[in-house]
């Protein structure tokens, strides 16, 4: 019966289109990076074997499990910094004194300057930051447990997998930083590099680890502005022009 066959095909097509539209439109951020597991585990071995072997033995399988365990199959808007505790615990290593580098809005330049931890060790040069650099990730109730179509941006919901990851990692990084600390801001940022970029607020966790902003078990973001001055030695490398070869 040809007519009904056509109708059925048409109906199926319409249903699939509607489902696809709904899925693609759910969030505004990019979906989970394909092959996330292979990337994270591969980066982990690369880091401990070639980038920074001084961190010693780390269990890359356990690290991956702790990482995905923070958000897999979960509501993508209910992931908190404390969910990464185990991941942080497994990836943690010493940050050499005087090598910390906080930055904002100049990532590519910072990576060139820090030289994979040889000159400075920015968060992205530590194991905990290295593994997730430039990756997108969030959970969903689908079979895979990951949403490969879209992930929430921080304006859609603050307690998302990525925001909470970087908050947890940044606070841990600040608490483990010591000595002379570099901070590199971008003077060309619309509105100016100062007065209170996130890097500076996180930096205060070096001296005030007890501040509520420095805990990883609350769901709040870096929204309140601290007015305390920081008694650390800050080298502001605002004039990046001469390093821009
Ligand atoms: C690494 O972690 C995995 C998963 O937690 C575990 O099964 C394995 O035994 C661990 N390997 C070592 C060498 O500890
Ligand atoms: C983190 O590691 C310490 C030991 O280094 C252990 O006492 C603590 O229970 C661990 N916490 C988590 C959440 O795994
Ligand atoms: C860190 O910098 C301070 C101040 O410049 C210096 O006194 C100290 O020796 C340095 N420590 C290391 C381990 O380089
Ligand atoms: C600094 O910010 C400006 C404006 O957002 C941007 O165009 C430029 O690439 C940034 N510089 C670096 C080194 O990232």
């Amino acid at each position: 019966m040809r007519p009904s066959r056509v109708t059925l095909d048409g109906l199926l097509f319409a249903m699939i289109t509607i489902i696809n539209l709904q899925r693609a439109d759910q969030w505004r951020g990019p979906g989970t990076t394909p092959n996330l597991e292979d990337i994270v585990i591969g980066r982990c071995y690369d880091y401990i074997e070639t980038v920074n072997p001084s961190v010693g033995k780390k269990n890359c399988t356990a690290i991956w499990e702790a990482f995905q365990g923070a958000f897999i199959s979960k509501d993508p808007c209910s992931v908190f910094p404390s969910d990464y505790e185990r991941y942080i615990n497994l990836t943690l290593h010493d940050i050499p004194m005087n090598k910390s580098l906080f930055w904002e809005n100049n990532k590519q330049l910072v990576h060139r300057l820090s030289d994979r931890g040889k000159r400075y060790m920015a968060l992205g040069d530590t194991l905990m930051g290295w593994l997730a650099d430039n990756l997108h990730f969030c959970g969903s109730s689908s079979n895979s447990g990951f949403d490969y179509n879209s992930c929430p941006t921080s304006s859609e919901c603050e307690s998302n997998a990525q925001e909470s990851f970087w908050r947890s990692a940044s606070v841990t990084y600040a608490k483990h930083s010591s000595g002379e600390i570099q901070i590199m801001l971008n003077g060309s940022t619309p509105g100016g590099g100062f007065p209170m970029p996130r890097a500076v607020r996180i930096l205060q966790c070096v001296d005030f680890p007890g501040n509520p902003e420095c805990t990883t078990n609350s769901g709040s973001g870096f929204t309140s502005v601290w007015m305390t001055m920081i008694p650390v030695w800050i080298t502001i490398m605002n004039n990046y022009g001469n390093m821009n070869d």
Side-chain angles (χ1 to χ4, degrees):
M1 283 172 68
R2 212 163 159 270
S4 70
R5 175 67 197 264
V6 167
T7 312
L8 195 64
D9 281 353
L11 200 66
L12 266 174
F13 176 76
M15 278 169 64
I16 288 166
T17 308
I18 287 168
I19 289 168
N20 279 340
L21 276 178
Q22 275 179 344
R23 294 187 68 184
D25 281 342
Q26 191 170 15
W27 305 110
R28 286 203 301 273
T32 301
T33 308
N35 306 307
L36 185 69
E37 176 171 359
D38 290 340
I39 295 174
V40 171
I41 292 180
R43 282 183 178 181
C44 178
Y45 284 117
D46 186 28
Y47 190 90
I48 62 178
E49 298 298 341
T50 77
V51 179
N52 187 6
S54 72
V55 299
K57 281 232 166 304
K58 299 282 178 195
N59 184 335
C60 292
T61 312
I63 287 172
W64 160 252
E65 281 169 7
F67 175 73
Q68 66 156 10
F71 59 88
I72 191 168
S73 300
K74 280 194 198 168
D75 168 5
C77 286
S78 303
V79 179
F80 301 98
S82 55
D83 293 329
Y84 290 100
E85 247 170 44
R86 191 169 150 69
Y87 170 84
I88 298 287
N89 203 325
L90 292 171
T91 52
L92 203 57
H93 57 79
D94 287 341
I95 296 162
M97 190 184 200
N98 298 348
K99 281 215 170 184
S100 286
L101 171 61
F102 291 70
W103 58 274
E104 185 126 355
N105 295 326
N106 45 25
K107 183 171 186 167
Q108 305 310 326
L109 182 60
V110 160
H111 280 182
R112 271 156 55 201
L113 174 68
S114 68
D115 194 13
R116 297 174 27 128
K118 287 193 193 74
R119 193 176 292 119
Y120 293 111
M121 190 175 275
L123 174 55
D125 302 311
T126 66
L127 179 56
M128 63 183 165
W130 181 271
L131 299 185
D133 196 26
N134 288 329
L135 299 182
H136 298 287
F137 46 91
C138 65
S140 87
S141 52
S142 71
N143 282 346
S144 70
F146 301 106
D147 190 337
Y148 290 106
N149 292 301
S150 65
C151 289
T153 59
S154 292
S155 58
E156 288 173 290
C157 61
E158 212 171 88
S159 296
N160 65 64
Q162 283 171 233
E163 179 73 22
S164 293
F165 175 89
W166 289 110
R167 176 181 159 84
S168 186
S170 305
V171 166
T172 308
Y173 174 74
K175 285 179 177 170
H176 287 82
S177 292
S178 63
E180 192 173 299
I181 288 168
Q182 316 296 317
I183 171 165
M184 190 156 151
L185 305 170
N186 181 343
S188 308
T189 303
F194 263 114
M196 270 299 174
R198 170 190 265 222
V200 175
R201 275 178 277 144
I202 296 168
L203 179 58
Q204 297 177 81
C205 298
V206 177
D207 284 294
F208 302 104
N211 190 292
E213 294 279 333
C214 298
T215 63
T216 52
N217 46 22
S218 83
S220 77
F222 297 101
T223 42
S224 69
V225 174
W226 299 354
M227 296 310 291
T228 37
M229 280 317 294
I230 33 173
V232 287
W233 182 253
I234 299 176
T235 307
I236 299 174
M237 306 178 77
N238 219 343
N239 185 0
Y240 58 81
N242 51 3
M243 292 181 306
N244 231 342
D245 52 324

